[in-house]
Amino acid sequence: MTFVLIPGAGGEAWYWHRLVAELERRGHDAVAVDLPAGDDGAGWAEYAAAVVAAAGDLDDVVLVAQSMGGFTAPLVCDRLPVQQLVLLNAMIPAPGETGGAWWENTGQSTAQAEFAAAEGRVAGDGIDVMVDFFHDVPDDVTAEAMDRGDPAQSMTPFTQPFPLDRWPDIPTRVLAGRDDRLFPLKFQRRVARERLGLPTDEIPGGHLVALSRPGELAERLAAYAS
């Protein structure tokens, strides 16, 4: 099987580079996708097309979607030979829901604030990249990410309704980082149960677990594929 890796906001294949190396070390193929995230003319259809183009003529695909990639991944399941879909710290959309409405509809901000309080932190307004994303990422990897600059993300997809009326008939796993500060584990468990009727597996690490714990993530994904 080949892992096709869909990034979250910012859409950069670079996010997966440490995981790709770990998967390849274990004898697996992996394709990390670049999305047209900075293009105001690109929405969910264009994101899905980018995934299909990157996958080419692959057979036996395990599709892995990080964060915002949870909106894109279901849209390609009828266009690729997807054997399994893994939602990794992912947004799980409801039919007709926009990416912008998802946050309030799911109660994300309340969950984030409650988790911060449980950790003895005070959640600020919005997202603090260093606190919410890079808190458990190694310093050298964080420095490389900062040197690359903040990836562009158009708001176009956040205005578009999720176009499917039901979840694809594909075996789906939900995998959450137990240290995720943006989408806390308890929150992810609730959303997955309410929207997909699925349990949530957990793994050590925060929202950017592919950067912070790529080896452990690779082991889990390899186990899923087997």
Side-chain angles (χ1 to χ4, degrees):
M1 289 190 179
T2 300
F3 293 92
V4 175
L5 310 172
I6 305 175
E12 292 190 325
W14 177 87
Y15 166 70
W16 299 108
H17 75 282
R18 301 190 78 203
L19 177 64
V20 168
E22 293 289 347
L23 288 170
E24 291 177 344
R25 190 172 296 125
R26 290 163 173 78
H28 298 284
D29 294 324
V31 174
V33 180
D34 270 315
L35 298 176
D39 182 357
D40 285 334
W44 300 129
E46 289 74 22
Y47 285 28
V51 176
V52 172
D57 58 357
L58 292 175
D59 293 324
D60 296 332
V61 168
V62 176
L63 201 58
V64 183
Q66 156 77 14
S67 196
M68 182 181 168
F71 269 75
T72 300
L75 306 182
V76 305
C77 286
D78 65 346
R79 300 171 62 184
L80 293 175
V82 177
Q83 304 302 311
Q84 190 171 175
L85 170 58
V86 181
L87 299 172
L88 176 63
N89 293 330
M91 299 168 73
I92 300 175
E97 183 176 58
T98 66
W102 179 91
W103 302 82
E104 183 175 354
N105 290 348
T106 58
Q108 181 276 335
S109 62
T110 299
Q112 181 180 354
E114 290 176 348
F115 186 66
E119 287 194 324
R121 298 179 291 108
V122 176
D125 294 332
I127 296 172
D128 184 317
V129 170
M130 296 306 295
V131 172
D132 297 319
F133 288 164
F134 287 93
H135 60 95
D136 67 331
V137 176
D139 290 345
D140 60 330
V141 181
T142 299
E144 183 180 355
M146 297 302 106
D147 287 344
R148 292 176 59 85
D150 192 18
Q153 176 58 62
S154 168
M155 293 305 294
T156 297
F158 291 97
T159 68
Q160 295 183 337
F162 182 64
L164 300 185
D165 58 8
R166 62 182 180 86
W167 198 255
D169 187 20
I170 297 291
T172 301
R173 292 183 182 268
V174 180
L175 180 60
R178 68 171 63 113
D179 308 306
D180 193 334
R181 293 177 171 178
L182 184 67
F183 301 161
L185 176 60
K186 181 179 178 181
F187 166 79
Q188 292 196 57
R189 288 191 189 281
R190 173 176 60 78
V191 174
R193 183 179 63 251
E194 292 175 352
R195 297 197 163 191
L196 298 179
L198 291 177
T200 298
D201 298 332
E202 64 180 84
I203 189 171
H207 195 66
L208 303 183
V209 66
L211 291 178
S212 64
R213 295 177 179 266
E216 289 162 282
L217 178 57
E219 286 291 332
R220 182 65 62 93
L221 293 176
Y224 285 165
S226 65

